[in-house]
Every structure is written in structure tokens, then in C-alpha cells.
Amino acid sequence: MSLDKPYLDVPGTTIFDAEQSRKGYWLNQFCMSLMKHENRERFKANERAYLDEWPMTEAQKEAALARNLNWCISLGGNIYFLAKLGATHGKSFQQMAGSMTGMTEEEYRNMMIAGGRSVEGNRVVGEDGNAQKHRQPQGTSTAQGRL
Amino acid sequence: MAKITASVFTSHVPAIGAALDLGKTTEPYWQPLFAGYDYSKQWMKDNKPDVIFLVYNDHATAFSLEMIPTFAIGCADSYTPADEGWGPRPVPVVRGHPDLASHIAQSVIQDDFDLTIVNKMDVDHGLTVPLSLMCGQPSVWPCPVIPFAVNVVQYPVPSGRRCYNLGRAIRKAVETYDEPLNVHIWGTGGMSHQLQGPRAGLINREWDNAFLDRLIADPDGLASVPHIDYVREAGSEGIELVMWLIARGAMSDKAPTVKHRFYHVPASNTAVGHLILENN
Ligand SMILES: [Fe+2]
């Protein structure tokens, strides 16, 4: 019997369940280590060398080096862990969230001030809202997902 | 006999803590949000509790992936504000209430809720931001706090029904504590928000306000709402709202008095909701 996962058809959304958590264990634990000031300094001094201390997959290391949060999440990352990586680079939660949409920081901030993203068209995969796959990336950011 | 006299519900967005700590509360972006808590700060002074039972979630701070307790009750003497990556918030150390916390743990576990007992942990913005919103910036917090951490980070999180029933068990536990303490229970987190993926920034004002309406008038019905509705309608991180049902379940079965209600969009990525209910 397979498990009940009714959340797989929510567009633009990855639910961090036990399966994702297994996949992302070392990526997330690496992020966790960045809660210590001295580790943040060591990481910033040589990101690749610091990452090589962790039994992460090569793709996870590349995603972390690329500061690409959507990529990290697809490899099992969770936003609350990835937030430590963002914080290490001096970024806020709003900058992190915005980086995953393709919008510039200003475009994302303005969307929030205007009341946020509408749920209309964004409830189920296959509708036509702005979070759907065929409408990515949103906005005019040239960062290609890099935080 | 101890008694729960009131419940407080509020979002706990980290950017709110940063705005306070950096002295930005009067900036046009933040002013309307903090104005929504002016009443609340006065109410806290006028109705000072002996203990706050504070339901919140840890955001990969005290609990990494090494251990993920579904329900964890803090039984320690004190809790240090955590360094979440930006450095620790400059807020007072949180004093605990080990006696009442241990009493509640024993009673609630005997009622079939398998709590994890925590005697050492740091507390993150989930706990300190609500304290800041309700108490301002004092040099010491006005009373002891019992942290009660709920897993809403890794799915599956506890159901609304389980949270609501747990609240009822907490009520019973408090009422069997001999010392006549005035206890407030807080439910924090939410409201609608999504912090990840191309759907980041989702806000659902109608759903949030219907949630507030039902939390006040129909909590039992609200407890039946399945997780997927929270995710679809209020965003992947909007699931934090299930924690509000713990605090609501701990209130009396009689209809509460609504002392304050506030809703504001945005605080960073999030809709902010706030309620103060008094028991009758
Ligand atoms: Fe939260």
C-alpha cells in the first residue's frame, strides 16, 4: 500500500515529508552548522572546502555553491534549514523567498505590499495561475535563481 | 487551583523581530503592523499572567534533523534566545516554570499524548517574536514561560483534531495544579504564507479571516479541516496555524469574549493575524 500524499499536485510547492527529509539529510545538517558564527566564517572563507567536509551529494554541493534555493529544495533541502545558508550570505527571508520566483527583489516586495500572491489559479497543478510551471520564471530577475 | 484565563493568538514572523530590534517600528512599512499590537501591550499590563504557556514551532533551531519531536514541552529553568544565523536577538533570557511544566507533562502524558520532555534548548523567533509583540522591549520578560514546541517543519505534522484535543488535556492539567496561578495560553505562527518555490508569497485574506471567525465561534468544526486545505489555501508554511487549535482547545467550552482582533498584510512574506480571547 502506498502512502497518502495529497499534496503532490500543489503547483510550485515541495512538501518536506519523510522522503524529502531522507534525501536532504546532509544538505540540511550542513545548513544547520551555519548557526555557529565560527562555522559561518569558515564557510565564507572557502565554501567548497567547507562543503567537502560533509557527505553531501555533488549536486547538493553545487546547488549550495550556486545559492539556488529551488535547486536545493529539489534535492531535499528545507527552507528553514536553507535560511541559515541565506543568513550566512546576509539575506533576509523575503530575499530568499523572492529568489525562488524569478522576480527581482523589488518586484517581489511590491507583490507582497499589494497583498501577496493570489491563490486563484494556484491551488492545483494545471490551472493558469502565476505559480504554474508554464508561467516560470516570473518577473524580470536576471539572477536565474541565485540568491 | 491554577486556571487558564485567556488565550492569545499571533503570527511570529522573524522580520517583525528584526524590525523591532533595529528600531524600525515607526517606518511606514511597519507602523500599521505594530499599531495593531498597541491594545495588546496595554492588555498584557492590565492582565498580567503568572505564567504563559506558549505554543510555537522551532524552525530548525533547537531541533535539527537529528531529532524531530512532534510535541515537546520545555521543563527547564531558563531558555536562551538562539542564534538563527543572523546572530541572537537582543532580548531577555526566557525564564521557565519547571514545576508547572512538569506537572502538565505528567498529566498530559497520562492522558495519552506522548510529549517529549526537554530540559535544555534555545528558543528561536517562533517564541521570542510573540513575546516582543505582546510585551514590547522590557529588560526582563514579565513572567515565566513554558515553551511548547510543535513539529510543523517535517510532514506529517499533527492534525488539527489532535492539536485541539491536546489543548483540552492541557486545560485539565492546569486545573489540577494546586497553586492558584493565572495562566495564559498562546498559539503562534501563521497566518497564510509560503516561503518556498515559485508559489512563494501566497496570501489568502479570505481564508485567513474565515479561520479567525471559526477559531472564535466554531473551533470544533475547524479542528476537522485537513492539512491539505491549509497547504492549498494558506501556503505550505500556513500549516503553522494548526498550533492555534492547541491554545483554543485549552479554553473553556463556553464562548469566549473577543478582546481584540487584528489582521494585516504583509509582514515580509506573511499575513499577520492576532486575537485575544478571554475565558468566561
Ligand atoms: Fe513560524
Side-chain angles (χ1 to χ4, degrees):
Chain A
M1 273 269 287
S2 61
L3 292 167
D4 183 25
K5 294 189 175 183
Y7 43 76
L8 297 177
D9 66 348
V10 181
T13 304
T14 305
I15 295 300
F16 186 69
D17 59 10
E19 188 186 342
Q20 287 298 110
S21 182
R22 281 318 309 159
K23 203 158 58 159
Y25 184 77
W26 287 115
L27 169 59
N28 290 316
Q29 295 299 82
F30 143 72
C31 290
M32 201 72 194
S33 75
L34 299 176
M35 285 175 68
K36 288 205 173 78
H37 175 76
E38 54 276 23
N39 289 345
R40 294 197 285 271
E41 294 308 309
R42 273 206 313 119
F43 173 66
K44 281 192 281 190
N46 188 339
E47 295 189 17
R48 179 74 217 194
Y50 189 88
L51 285 164
D52 282 338
E53 295 170 16
W54 294 84
M56 296 158 63
T57 65
E58 181 58 27
Q60 287 172 335
K61 291 179 191 175
E62 281 171 23
L65 288 168
R67 303 186 195 176
N68 185 314
L69 299 184
N70 278 331
W71 190 9
C72 289
I73 286 173
S74 75
L75 300 173
N78 170 273
I79 185 58
Y80 291 123
F81 291 85
L82 295 170
K84 325 298 185 204
L85 177 63
T88 299
H89 293 305
K91 304 290 184 178
S92 69
F93 260 108
Q94 185 162 62
Q95 289 166 317
M96 294 182 228
S99 77
M100 290 182 264
T101 64
M103 286 183 241
T104 64
E105 197 176 328
E106 197 190 353
E107 285 166 346
Y108 183 84
R109 187 180 158 93
N110 287 341
M111 174 180 81
M112 295 316 299
I113 289 171
R117 177 188 308 281
S118 170
V119 74
E120 296 309 325
N122 288 327
R123 290 185 174 90
V124 183
V125 166
E127 297 178 319
D128 197 31
N130 53 8
Q132 300 283 344
K133 207 168 196 168
H134 65 279
R135 297 191 54 182
Q136 304 312 307
Q138 308 159 53
T140 62
S141 170
T142 56
Q144 295 188 303
R146 185 179 172 87
L147 180 61
Chain B
M1 213 175 75
K3 204 168 164 26
I4 293 173
T5 58
S7 55
V8 172
F9 304 85
T10 180
S11 307
H12 61 209
V13 186
I16 294 176
L20 256 165
D21 302 340
L22 300 171
K24 293 182 177 174
T25 57
T26 56
E27 287 185 2
Y29 183 92
W30 290 108
Q31 192 278 331
L33 177 114
F34 287 103
Y37 288 82
D38 284 344
Y39 173 91
S40 316
K41 283 189 285 229
Q42 189 57 48
W43 178 86
M44 268 303 280
K45 285 186 186 134
D46 298 341
N47 298 275
K48 196 171 98 61
D50 297 312
V51 185
I52 297 164
F53 189 94
L54 206 159
V55 181
Y56 75 110
N57 69 288
D58 179 80
H59 304 78
T61 303
F63 304 116
S64 69
L65 292 184
E66 285 178 11
M67 274 176 275
I68 308 167
T70 295
F71 297 117
I73 185 165
C75 294
D77 280 323
S78 68
Y79 308 89
T80 305
D83 180 350
E84 297 176 55
W86 294 271
R89 289 194 63 209
V91 293
V93 165
V94 176
R95 277 177 300 141
H97 198 299
D99 282 353
L100 179 59
S102 311
H103 171 91
I104 293 173
Q106 174 149 349
S107 173
V108 167
I109 292 168
Q110 283 172 335
D111 259 340
D112 292 340
F113 292 90
D114 305 320
L115 308 186
T116 298
I117 291 164
V118 180
N119 288 313
K120 186 177 189 302
M121 73 173 166
D122 290 351
V123 288
D124 72 10
H125 70 269
L127 185 125
T128 61
V129 166
L131 285 172
S132 295
L133 280 168
M134 295 298 293
C135 309
Q137 295 172 291
S139 55
V140 290
W141 299 119
C143 68
V145 174
I146 299 175
F148 191 87
V150 180
N151 166 44
V152 292
V153 172
Q154 180 172 320
Y155 276 65
V157 311
S159 70
R161 175 64 56 196
R162 180 128 181 98
C163 288
Y164 187 64
N165 288 339
L166 169 60
R168 306 178 83 130
I170 292 168
R171 182 207 310 174
K172 184 175 138 196
V174 170
E175 286 174 355
T176 56
Y177 189 71
D178 284 336
E179 212 184 315
L181 297 176
N182 174 10
V183 179
H184 287 182
I185 185 160
W186 294 11
T188 73
M191 295 200 83
S192 56
H193 65 306
Q194 175 152 337
L195 303 176
Q196 52 128 339
R199 206 170 77 129
L202 186 100
I203 299 287
N204 193 337
R205 191 179 274 272
E206 291 71 33
W207 198 88
D208 285 344
N209 278 287
F211 185 94
L212 293 173
D213 291 341
R214 290 186 82 186
L215 191 78
I216 297 165
D218 178 28
D220 191 67
L222 185 62
S224 298
V225 172
H227 286 152
I228 185 63
D229 289 19
Y230 291 80
V231 172
R232 236 186 258 295
E233 299 290 334
S236 49
E237 280 66 45
I239 192 72
E240 289 184 342
L241 283 168
V242 292
M243 294 186 288
W244 292 29
L245 285 161
I246 298 176
R248 186 64 181 88
M251 295 287 282
S252 145
D253 291 333
K254 290 190 198 129
T257 301
V258 181
K259 298 301 286 188
H260 186 49
R261 177 171 174 161
F262 175 65
Y263 184 77
H264 175 79
V265 177
S268 183
N269 303 289
T270 306
V272 170
H274 175 38
L275 277 177
I276 299 177
L277 304 182
E278 284 182 2
N279 255 339
N280 287 309

